[in-house]
Structure formats: C-alpha cells, structure tokens
Amino acid sequence: MDLVKLNIDGRDVEVPAGASVLNAAETIGIHIPRLCYDPCLSSVGACRICVVEIDGIRNLPASCVTTVTQGMVVRTDTPAVAEARKAILELLIANHPLDCLTCEKMGECKLVEYCYQYGVSESPFQGERHAYDLELNNPFIVRDLNKCILCGKCVRACAEWPGKDILDFSYRGFNTKVTAFGDTSYIESDCVFCGSCVAVCPTGALTEKQMRGKGRRWDVKKVRTTCPFCGTGCNFDLNVKDGKVIGVTSSPDAIPNGRVLCVKGRFGWDFVNSDKRLKTPLIKKNGKFEEASWDEAFDLIATRFQEIKEKYGPDSFGALGSARCTNEDNYLVQKFTRAVMGTNNVDHCARTCHAPTVAGLAISFGSGAMTNPICDVDDAELLFLTGTNTTEAHPIIGYRIRQAHRRGAKLIVVDPRRTELAEEADYWLQIKSGTDIGLINGLSHIIIKENLHDKKFIEERCENFEEFEKTVAQYTPERVSELTGVPVDTLYTVARLYATTDKAGIFYTLGITEHTTGTRNVMSCANLAMLTGHLGRPSVGVNPMRGQNNVQGACDMGAIPNVYQGYQAVNNPAAREKFEKAWGVPLDNKVGLMIPDMFDKANEGKLKAMYILGENPVLTDPNSNHIRKGLEKLEFLVVHELFMTETAEYADVVLPAASFVECDGTFTNTERRVQRVREAVEPLPGKANWETICEMVTRMGYPMNYQNPGEIWAEMASLAPSYAGINFERLEQRGGLQWPCPSCDHPGTPFLHAQSFTRGKGLFQGIEDVPPAELPDRDYPFLLNTGRILQHYNVTTMYSAGLMTLRNEEYAMVSPEDALELNLNTGDRIKVLSRRGEVETKIQITERVPKGMIWMSFHFPNTQTNAVTSDAVDTIAKTGEYKVCAVKIEKLAS
C-alpha cells in the first residue's frame, strides 16, 4: 500500500494514498467540523464547513473531498478558517428556525454544536424565510423542511444504502429542497421507511415520530441489542426513558448492518408496548380463560404433565421451542423435553422453513449452515439468487446485494415472480415453480460439457462425482428449457458466467426449501457450488438466509428431534452417554417427532400434551385446519406467548412471555454469528422466559437453579465443542462470534470448509427433478405461491401500530391477464379455494406474478392463507410445500 506523508497543524502523519485531508486529520485525533460528510457515504463537499488552509492553494478547500498529496501542509484552525466556518453557520441559520428549546434533535444537533463552538447565536443576514408545513402524514418520520440545511446526506443515504433513490434535490436557488419524486410526501412515494435518512440527518429536519415528545436525547439510555425479526441479526440501540422503550436508533459500529435498518427493525419494535400483551398466567376453566397466580399455573402444569407421562408414556408429549426466543430459552426447552419428559419430541419452526437446509447441507458438506459471512457480499463478483425475495425478506442483505450489483457485480435472479432484484438483475430466470432441480442440473450439464468445472477441487475435496455426472448428462439445455421455461441461450450464458467467475456465491431462502423436494433442492445448490469450486474461501459459498431472528440458534441449541446442541445425534451412544452424565438422567435413543408428525399423532389421539413456546402453528403451518383439529384433541396444552394468538386460544394454560427488550441472552443470526440480546426494561409479566421455564421444570421435580442466562450458555457450551470458545465475556468485547469457535483464543470462523468439509469430502449426489405434489388442473386452475412481505413478520408485527398503518390486510397478487379474464380490479374481494379449505382476500393486480399464479402472504389473522396451502411435505425434512398448490378463485360481491 502506497503511503503519503503530510503535515497537519504542525504534526507529521502518514496515510494511504487516496485518503482525504479530513480522514488524515482524524488519524491523529484532529476533529474537523462537518455537516454533509459521513464516513459511510460518498463525499460531496456541499456544506463547506470542513474547509482548511493548505499551502499552495489560494482558496479554502473542503477537507472531505480534498485528497492528500506528498508533502502537503495543512492548517485546520486558523483565523481565516474560523471566520469562514462562522460565516457558513450564519448563512445556515439565516433561514433556520431557532426553536432549539423545543426541537426533538436538541442534544444531538450538529448545527447547534458548531454554532456553540464558533459563537454563532444569530445571523446578520436578513431576508425571506421558508415556511414549509410540517409533514406528519406517515407513522414513522416527522419531516420539517424548515430545518433542512441541504447537506444532502439523506439523498445519499437513500441511494447508497437501501438503493431506493427516493430523495433528491428539487427546484433551484432559494426554493431548493430535498423531496421525493414529484415533490410528494414520504407516504405518497415509494419510500420503504428504512429510516436511513433519519439516521444521518444532522439537524431536526428528520426525526423519529415514535420518539417525539418522549424525552430529551441526553435523558435517554441506549441499550445495544439484536433485532427480533429476520435472520440477518442487525444490531441497534433501544432508547429507554423512565423504564420504557421509546424508540430505536442505529449505530455505525453495529455488526452486520451499521446504521442501516429496515422498517421493522427501526420502527416495528412498538409491539412490545401493545396493550394486548399478556401480563399474567391464564387458566381455562369451563371454556373461558381466567387470570391465575404463577403458583397456581405451575402446580397445574406439573400435575397434568406428570399424569399424562405416567398414563400414556413419554412419547405422548411434544414441545415446540421458538426461533423468536433466545438460545438460552431454547436450550432449556429441549433439555426439559428430553431430561424431564423423557422424549426427543421437540421441534420448532425451522421445520416450516429451513429444515431442508439443515438436512441438505449436513448431507453434502457435514454442516447445515450458511458457509460465508454477510459482509462477503460486498466483494462478490457474481451473486446467484434463487428462491429469495431478499429486499423484502432480508432487507439489509438485499440492500447490500443491490449495492454490490451497482458497483459491478453480476446479478442472477431465479424466481417465478418479478421481484425488485429480478427487475435489476443482469439475468432473470423466470422458472416454472418447482423446477429448481431441473434448472441446476441443466446448468451443471453445460458446465461439464464445456469443461468449465473445477477438476482439481472435485478430485481433491469431493466424492461421488461420477454418479452426479451421469445424472446431469440427461439434462440437456433443450430438455431443461422445456421443463423450466428458461430459454436455451440464457442457460448457456448463466452457466458460463457462474462457472468462470472467481468470486461467485449462491444465496437462497424458502423458494428453494419449501417444496416436497426442498432437501434435494438444497443439495442441488451444493452440487453446483462444488462443481465449480466456489466453496471454502471469501465471497463464494452456499448461503441460506435464515428466516427468523434465531432460527439458526434454535437449531444449534438442539430444539429439533434428532440432535442435542451442536448437532450431536440423539442416537449416537457416545453423545447420549455424555448428556446423560451431564443431566443426571437416562435419555431416549429414538429420534423424536417433527412438527407435522406431532400433529398427525395428535389427530390420531396418540400425542396427548404439548408445551409451545413462542410459536403460532395455527397461523404459520400448512393446512392449518389439520393443526386446529390436532390441538382440539390434546388433553393438555400449555402455550407460552406474548399475545393471545390463534394457537393460544386452544391452550389450557397460557403463560405470559417476555419480549426481546425484556430478555437477556443471545441470538444466532444466519451467518452463525452469536450475538448478545440485552434486557433494556423489566419483563412485563415479572419473569424472563428462562426464569418461567426453570420454575415450571423445577416444580416437576427436576431442579433448574440457574442464576442468569450466562450460566445456561456456559452449561450448553461445555457440552458442544463448536461453542466451547464462546462466552458472555467475549461477546461483550466483540461484535459477536461465529461458530465453530472451539476455544477461548479462537477468533471464530467467518467462512466454512476452508481446507476440508466438515464431513471430510463434499458429497456429490445425482438428483432427479420431481414435480410438485399438487399442480393446477381443470378443477383448481391456479397455482398459489406464498411468502413474506416487507412490512410484516409472523406474529408480532400484527401488534405494531405503525406497521399496521402501512399494511393491515392481505392483498393477493393477481396478474393483469388473469384479472381481465375474471373481471377483477385492484381492491376487489375474492375467495381462494383449495382441496383443504378456503380464505377470502382483497387483490392487487400486478405484473410481478405470471399468468396462472396467485401470490399471498401468511401474516394476517383475518386471511389465514395456510388454510388452503398444501399438506404435502418434503420427504426428508417434513417441511411443507408452501410454494406450490392448486387453487381456484371466486369473485365476491362488493
């Protein structure tokens, strides 16, 4: 790296060539004032307050856009510089309200800070002043253009972080202002309310509406924690005043997101303050819930669980952990199920989403997790996205992908829908739903045929290549084109591009896993990556983006029926002996029931009791009528939940849960990063979830006497080698640690399989394409596809007042061609019917779906989409086929 030597304020400094004067000054602790500059944004030199004197330059250049040169001499605080800065500040406040006493930004306003520093209290410049109306017509952001100093940071943040390009400068001269296209308000624009503009605004022009009037900035306590929504694992600061969370703000040092958040992370936290939160235990008596004491609830639970176990045996019980709860909570749930109830019948919602990832990648590589870190997106040369609407389901990763593409990385998107990234992609492969294996086999066929595969990698690091090669030989481009709908020329182009690009990564979500062939789809992705050697180094890999905040962690903790924590098999005698010794009881050696099996057994009358923590299978599981019937047949059901959910309504006992702001512990995000969750306020029900579980289990005669979540983690990690080097003390010192981390001097593992695969050699498999279990036919002519939308997430967001203002009901997507044939308009109500049930919904006519497809989300209780979804499941992981089922439509009278 070339270094440049210069002198700043009499001190010599060496910095990399290309650095700015401002950055060079910061390396020796000299702070130069700035209003438009941000280290995470491009520099424009607009505000001019960062001017400095430089020998040989006649004027005062802006230090943020002036590049250092060899021998440069800089002075940052001369009388001329101070006079210039003071004049700039006087010009700014000449048209700026001086209502600092009541301004929401007081205490964090950079304009106030610099005016104080340079003694500016009023402006000598008099003239016309702006009188813009306050913009209050959206639920999240207050916009006061009278306080805008035209620094442009919001414009650049919108363009360079989410890549939405909503904001820009409009008009000229005195009338110049920052606004959305057509000079519209935020709510009238395409704004996604990520709040990046608010995060960078240096004045009170943009502020958080939720925090308005709730407290001065210096009175607010900030508590760093991890987001409770998708699996990205963003970190942010909870703003706490008087024992209550009043807002969320982001921080540049947060991993993996910096200051970037999505609408849910920045503004969807308010569900924690909902008046619908459960605060006390409830016991159902004569068909109605009555408030009860904790002792009464624990005594009833202990009695009934023990009675049922003694009468029907251990396997009459099943438990569901939760991808929304901490690692420590999930560890306790699986320990309770195995050590106290005597069964391995424990599972959680990974079963409905990424269980095929855990199974498929474990078979192919030996480890069922994302191979590479999120930050590898930044340096990727090609991003292969399949079955993922990333900008809605994992917005922060989606934004990074968009920015990488804008910097020159090639973008390939495989999706039957025209998603945002499909529109921007270099190549959009609009496949027919359920033909993923055929597509990947076809790409592999071309790569092998054209001798583009990595023979050295295959020979040294993989096995069973011959079987794979024999299978894909049958998938000629012409056959695959007919099967998938992708043109032959596109197949050749994409195959060549992926195979010949050095840093090429595969990214997928539920469009791959939620099929009857989900596990085989995952293994096909693994085949493609092994074929080209795109594994074991930065910016490559097979990268499943996990759907919920701690779905990776819940799997890691053993809240699945076949393994203890750290993926140690329950039917492995050595592993079982280790846990029997640690837990002091004999353990079952049979693999337990998965969620679909549990509800099958419940409907058969064989599963008699369940404990469900933070899951709502009535709303989220396929063929929900089957789930309801199973719950009705249970003899005893305990639900541990924040709200009275559709599942909780079936319970005999409901235990109130603590929300993420009331919890202490850890989440593990999609990149295997273990991160701290910190208690910001006291638990609303009076107990943290781990305390409730411990008291419940202790009441059953198996003492759980942990003093804090750190002790729970320590016990867990002592029994799982891949976590042995992770503890709360290290997590406090770092921005999380990525497993495997086998010792306390180990830095964690950013990318997997560097020298060899976890299983030794990567396993190629010959996988044949198999059609979905149920395709459209004469009676049910439409294909229903389902998924998540940006504004919502499973259970909690229904209780966010702000998010519900943005989107409070279902709008099924229907193509213009189908709408024309059925005489439908946007906003019309339809009935969607399948062989399993029916739902009613409004529709949105959009070109994002192809003719013959309807797309719906599963968020809204008044449109329970999973009443119609298929009951077919993946044959290995038992994940439902949410992405394909046959339905018909009936228009309803308006």
Side-chain angles (χ1 to χ4, degrees), residues 806-845:
L806 284 186
R807 183 73 178 267
N808 62 7
E809 59 184 331
E810 180 64 31
Y811 278 85
M813 292 184 176
V814 177
S815 73
E817 299 92 331
D818 291 328
L820 183 63
E821 290 181 9
L822 296 168
N823 191 29
L824 295 172
N825 296 297
T826 292
D828 285 350
R829 292 192 64 80
I830 62 170
K831 182 182 290 185
V832 180
L833 305 94
S834 74
R835 291 177 173 87
R836 291 155 296 281
E838 60 185 52
V839 293
E840 295 182 6
T841 178
K842 288 184 177 180
I843 69 156
Q844 173 192 2
I845 299 172

Side-chain angles (χ1 to χ4, degrees), residues 375-396:
C375 63
D376 273 9
V377 169
D378 299 345
D379 295 321
E381 297 168 344
L382 183 147
L383 300 153
F384 187 106
L385 277 58
T386 178
T388 169
N389 184 11
T390 322
T391 54
E392 294 206 46
H394 300 83
I396 305 310

Side-chain angles (χ1 to χ4, degrees), residues 19-286:
S20 71
V21 171
L22 185 149
N23 294 145
E26 287 194 330
T27 64
I28 54 174
I30 297 174
H31 176 80
I32 298 175
R34 77 289 304 266
L35 289 169
C36 72
Y37 171 78
D38 188 286
C40 300
L41 298 172
S42 59
S43 298
V44 294
C47 73
R48 316 305 291 181
I49 200 169
C50 70
V51 294
V52 294
E53 279 189 7
I54 299 178
D55 284 3
I57 298 179
R58 187 174 61 181
N59 63 351
L60 300 177
S63 61
C64 70
V65 290
T66 301
T67 304
V68 297
T69 59
Q70 202 68 246
M72 178 182 276
V73 177
V74 180
R75 285 175 289 277
T76 70
D77 195 20
T78 66
V81 167
E83 183 181 355
R85 291 174 182 167
K86 183 174 181 179
I88 291 166
L89 292 168
E90 288 173 342
L91 286 167
L92 287 174
I93 68 168
N95 190 22
H96 192 95
L98 299 181
D99 59 348
C100 303
L101 293 177
T102 57
C103 180
E104 285 295 322
K105 205 61 175 278
M106 187 62 176
E108 288 184 354
C109 176
K110 302 306 290 185
L111 184 61
V112 167
E113 179 183 328
Y114 296 141
C115 282
Y116 179 82
Q117 181 178 341
Y118 288 94
V120 176
S121 59
E122 59 183 3
S123 176
F125 305 105
Q126 302 299 315
E128 187 178 356
R129 298 173 69 91
H130 291 304
Y132 296 115
D133 291 335
L134 204 61
E135 186 177 308
L136 296 165
N137 64 343
N138 73 77
F140 303 124
I141 299 171
V142 177
R143 188 161 65 142
D144 186 352
L145 290 178
N146 300 297
K147 297 179 180 178
C148 177
I149 60 172
L150 300 177
C151 68
K153 288 171 76 173
C154 59
V155 176
R156 284 172 284 140
C158 186
E160 297 174 19
W161 292 349
K164 293 301 293 182
D165 303 295
I166 300 297
L167 300 174
D168 209 336
F169 294 101
S170 296
Y171 309 107
R172 292 184 177 184
F174 175 77
N175 294 319
T176 302
K177 65 176 178 177
V178 174
T179 188
F181 179 78
D183 196 6
T184 57
S185 66
Y186 276 14
I187 199 71
E188 296 169 300
S189 73
D190 291 331
C191 176
V192 293
F193 292 100
C194 67
S196 297
C197 55
V198 182
V200 298
C201 182
T203 71
L206 297 169
T207 53
E208 300 89 347
K209 193 173 186 179
Q210 292 165 319
M211 295 175 65
R212 197 176 185 205
K214 299 290 179 63
R216 289 301 201 180
R217 302 285 167 142
W218 55 81
D219 288 330
V220 172
K221 176 185 175 184
K222 291 182 182 288
V223 179
R224 180 65 55 86
T225 196
T226 304
C227 183
F229 295 117
C230 83
T232 304
C234 295
N235 271 222
F236 52 60
D237 294 328
L238 295 168
N239 288 239
V240 181
K241 177 75 162 50
D242 298 329
K244 189 174 183 178
V245 176
I246 63 169
V248 158
T249 50
S250 52
S251 175
D253 63 349
I255 297 176
N257 57 296
R259 272 174 295 175
V260 192
L261 293 169
C262 75
V263 62
K264 294 188 294 293
R266 194 179 299 276
F267 299 118
W269 58 269
D270 58 335
F271 72 88
V272 304
N273 293 331
S274 169
D275 59 7
K276 293 183 171 59
R277 285 279 306 275
L278 298 172
K279 302 176 182 66
T280 187
L282 302 173
I283 294 177
K284 188 175 287 181
K285 297 178 180 179
N286 300 318

